């Protein structure tokens, strides 16, 4: 019965598209030229909005509630006196570049939320990738996603065919992105880099992965995921890429706030490196948008920060960051609402494509991510 249930594929029903701007028809927006030619979506699994906007939470830099082994050392690194200082210490690139040169949604007053109501892994990733919550996806079981994601949809278009790639620490990405049906380039969990023309660095990485002790069987270390993705980016020049990190979720579930913070800090460094790399390459410079998010939130201190799910208060709260040539810098004013189900359509719109026309169940493009001037051209 379980297998039969997942043999039913989702059917896309054509319908009226949702407007990205109230004074501009969707058709005009979808066809409007954008400077963005490439999009990279980067997710840190379960990274809380509280740390993104306020840095390390002082009450969790403790042995009792945070499971921290070296409290004094962690305080010296991430326990500065004010939230602004702690935020900059933990996530300097997101704080000083993404939030200022781009848009960072999800702070108090501009809350970003999950819409699927389940607030855990597979349902959240499906919502990010397909643009809507699906009640049929109610577990993390290893079954092929019946929904066509924005990545698969783009990969079926001539301009993007074989130019879409996904790298993720969690082993379920092969199912969520439905590798067998979508034919996407996917490297997940402990899989080594594959394909012709691998660089010496990729071959070495494969050897290291094969000979490394594994703390989790279903989640690789984020450093392996990052370096595999980074090498592929430099070698193959994909137009659309997903990079999914998992350590923040693993360490939070384990109640290890020190490892959670250090993994979050590494995530910020990885994003910085990706941005600097695309800005150094002619094919990407000033033509690439990076979107950052977490596919679910977590509860509050002192206990629920370790958990998420439908019954955990606050686990529906997420954050979304956008940095790229079509996204105007923050003007300091409160941002409009931006939810998880809007990411798929936003990825497509930045590339000049209309995902809402294909999948009307998907949320609309995130307001203010595309500058009005780019829309009106």
């Amino acid at each position: 019965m379980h297998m039969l249930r997942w043999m039913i594929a989702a059917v896309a029903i054509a319908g009226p598209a949702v407007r990205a701007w109230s004074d501009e028809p969707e058709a005009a927006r979808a066809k409007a030229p954008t400077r963005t030619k490439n999009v990279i979506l980067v997710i840190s699994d379960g990274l809380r909005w509280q740390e993104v906007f306020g840095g390390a939470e002082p009450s969790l830099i403790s042995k009792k509630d945070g499971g921290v082994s070296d409290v004094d050392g962690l305080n010296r690194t991430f326990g500065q006196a004010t939230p602004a200082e702690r935020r900059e210490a933990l996530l300097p690139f997101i704080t000083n570049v993404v939030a200022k040169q781009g848009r960072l949604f999800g702070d108090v007053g501009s809350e970003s939320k999950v819409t699927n109501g389940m607030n855990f892994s597979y349902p959240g990733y499906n919502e990010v990738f397909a643009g809507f919550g699906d009640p049929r996806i109610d577990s993390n079981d290893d079954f092929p996603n019946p929904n066509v994601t924005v990545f698969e949809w783009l990969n079926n278009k001539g301009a993007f065919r074989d130019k879409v790639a996904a790298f993720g620490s969690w082993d379920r990405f092969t199912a969520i992105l439905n590798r067998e049906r979508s034919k996407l380039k996917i490297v997940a969990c402990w899989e080594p880099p594959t394909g012709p023309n691998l660089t010496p660095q990729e071959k070495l990485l494969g050897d290291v992965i094969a000979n490394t002790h594994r703390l989790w069987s279903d989640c690789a270390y984020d450093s392996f995921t990052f370096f595999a993705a980074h090498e592929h980016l430099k070698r193959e020049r994909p137009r659309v890429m997903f990079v999914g990190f998992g350590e923040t979720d693993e360490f939070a579930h384990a109640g290890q706030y020190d490892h959670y913070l250090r993994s979050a800090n590494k995530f910020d460094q990885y994003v910085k490196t990706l941005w600097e790399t695309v800005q150094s390459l002619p094919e990407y410079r000033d033509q690439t948008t990076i979107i950052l998010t977490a596919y679910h939130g977590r509860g509050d201190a002192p206990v629920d920060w370790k958990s998420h799910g439908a019954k955990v208060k606050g686990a529906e709260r997420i954050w979304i960051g956008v940095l790229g040539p079509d996204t105007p810098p923050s003007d300091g004013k409160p941002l409009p609402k931006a939810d998880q189900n809007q990411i798929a359509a936003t990825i497509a719109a930045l590339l000049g494509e209309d995902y809402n026309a294909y999948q009307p169940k998907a949320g609309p493009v995130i307001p203010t991510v595309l500058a009005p001037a780019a829309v009106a051209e």
Side-chain angles (χ1 to χ4, degrees):
M1 291 297 293
H2 181 77
M3 291 301 297
L4 178 61
R5 175 187 179 193
W6 295 107
M7 289 175 64
I8 304 173
V11 178
I13 303 173
V18 182
R19 294 185 179 185
W21 298 85
S22 60
D23 59 350
E24 188 72 17
E26 176 70 11
R29 180 204 55 80
K31 295 179 181 179
T34 58
R35 286 181 290 174
T36 297
K37 305 303 178 188
N38 319 284
V39 172
I40 303 174
L41 171 66
V42 191
I43 293 181
S44 183
D45 189 340
L47 177 58
R48 301 194 308 166
W49 69 272
Q50 290 94 326
E51 280 82 22
V52 171
F53 293 98
E57 190 162 344
S59 68
L60 292 177
I61 304 181
S62 68
K63 292 183 178 180
K64 178 183 177 182
D65 296 327
V68 176
S69 58
D70 181 4
V71 173
D72 291 340
L74 197 67
N75 262 317
R76 285 193 296 269
T77 305
F78 299 120
Q80 287 74 13
T82 67
E85 292 173 319
R86 293 195 296 272
R87 179 189 185 193
E88 184 170 1
L90 181 65
L91 304 169
F93 184 77
I94 292 175
T95 300
N96 295 318
V97 180
V98 177
K100 295 178 181 179
Q101 297 180 20
R103 300 280 162 135
L104 190 61
F105 303 85
D107 201 359
V108 176
S110 64
E111 289 85 355
S112 296
K113 295 184 179 180
V114 172
T115 71
N116 63 66
M118 300 182 197
N119 308 334
F120 66 90
S121 305
Y122 199 149
Y125 280 115
N126 171 74
E127 183 177 328
V128 172
F129 298 157
F132 61 95
D134 186 341
R136 299 174 300 171
I137 299 177
D138 57 4
S139 77
N140 285 335
D141 292 347
D142 190 5
F143 54 85
N145 192 345
N147 300 308
V148 173
T149 68
V150 69
F151 298 115
E152 181 177 351
W153 179 73
L154 286 168
N155 194 56
N156 286 330
K157 291 178 172 290
F160 302 96
R161 186 165 292 116
D162 298 327
K163 289 292 184 180
V164 182
F167 292 79
S169 297
W170 195 33
D171 65 355
R172 290 294 187 269
F173 286 125
T174 58
I176 298 169
L177 292 167
N178 202 327
R179 178 156 62 185
E180 183 176 352
R181 186 193 66 217
S182 69
K183 310 303 181 186
L184 290 170
K185 168 71 176 182
I186 302 171
V187 177
C189 197
W190 298 104
E191 294 179 336
T194 58
N197 305 315
L198 293 179
T199 65
Q201 291 87 345
E202 288 173 303
K203 293 176 181 178
L204 176 60
L205 180 60
D207 291 338
V208 172
I209 290 172
N211 290 279
T212 297
H213 171 71
R214 301 175 181 185
L215 185 59
W216 312 290
S217 62
D218 62 348
C219 185
Y221 303 128
D222 288 346
S223 57
F224 294 166
T225 298
F226 168 72
F227 285 109
H230 192 229
E231 285 300 307
H232 183 84
L233 177 75
K234 293 186 292 182
R235 176 171 57 85
E236 291 295 325
R237 306 290 205 270
R239 291 198 58 192
V240 184
M241 175 179 275
F242 162 67
V243 187
F245 299 115
E247 286 185 9
T248 44
D249 193 58
E250 295 287 352
F251 287 126
H253 280 306
Q256 298 173 304
Y257 197 60
D258 45 359
H259 292 303
Y260 167 85
L261 290 180
R262 292 190 177 104
S263 293
N265 180 252
K266 283 291 185 183
F267 163 70
D268 185 87
Q269 293 178 38
Y270 296 149
V271 174
K272 179 177 184 285
T273 300
L274 286 172
W275 181 251
E276 290 176 346
T277 297
V278 298
Q279 288 298 88
S280 72
L281 298 171
E283 302 97 317
Y284 290 111
R285 185 185 304 118
D286 298 327
Q287 301 176 79
T288 303
T289 292
I290 290 183
I291 300 176
L292 314 174
T293 191
Y295 70 91
H296 63 67
R298 319 191 75 86
D300 293 324
V303 176
D304 283 350
W305 72 274
K306 304 174 188 177
S307 305
H308 56 89
K311 295 182 180 180
V312 177
K313 183 180 179 182
E316 75 284 354
R317 287 281 304 276
I318 61 167
W319 57 276
I320 301 170
V322 185
L323 176 67
D326 295 297
T327 303
S330 174
D331 57 8
K333 297 179 181 178
L335 293 171
K337 182 179 175 62
D339 287 334
Q340 181 169 264
N341 66 344
Q342 298 177 258
I343 294 173
T346 302
I347 291 171
L350 285 162
L351 296 167
E353 301 289 341
D354 187 357
Y355 185 67
N356 289 119
Y358 163 75
Q359 180 50 270
K361 290 186 290 186
V365 177
I366 297 173
T368 79
V369 164
L370 282 168
V375 176
E377 289 181 12

